[in-house]
Amino acid sequence: PSATPSTTPLSGTNAPKFGTVIPNRIFVGGIAANTTDAELKQFFSAYGAVKDTKIIADRGGVSKGYGFVTFENQEDADRI
C-alpha cells in the first residue's frame, strides 16, 4: 500500500465525518424523560432567541434523554 494524499475536498479541515452541521445548534444531554420541546425552548430562551428545539425519541416515542437547541444567532449559541 502506498501513501497517497487524499483528494477529499474536506481534507485538512475540522469538518465532521458524519451528520449535518447546522449553524447555531447546540447538543443538550441529560434531558428528563418527561421534558417537552416547549419546556426546552422556554428554558434556553433565557440565554438568547431560540429558533427551534428537538428532543430525540426512539421509535416508540420515548425520549432518549438528549436533543438539540437552535438559536437565532451564533453569539447566543457560543455563549452556552
Side-chain angles (χ1 to χ4, degrees):
S2 63
T4 57
S6 173
T7 57
T8 305
L10 295 177
S11 66
T13 67
N14 292 326
K17 292 182 180 181
F18 303 102
T20 303
V21 175
I22 299 177
N24 311 336
R25 180 170 278 188
I26 63 165
F27 170 85
V28 180
I31 299 172
N34 61 346
T35 302
T36 65
D37 282 322
E39 291 170 330
L40 193 64
K41 183 173 186 172
Q42 180 182 7
F43 179 83
F44 280 95
S45 290
Y47 301 96
V50 175
K51 184 176 183 180
D52 186 39
T53 58
K54 177 68 178 170
I55 296 174
I56 306 303
D58 66 12
R59 290 182 183 175
V62 178
S63 171
K64 288 189 171 188
Y66 69 93
F68 301 91
V69 177
T70 307
F71 287 93
E72 292 286 344
N73 60 62
Q74 189 62 46
E75 293 78 26
D76 293 337
D78 289 343
R79 205 172 345 169
I80 296 291

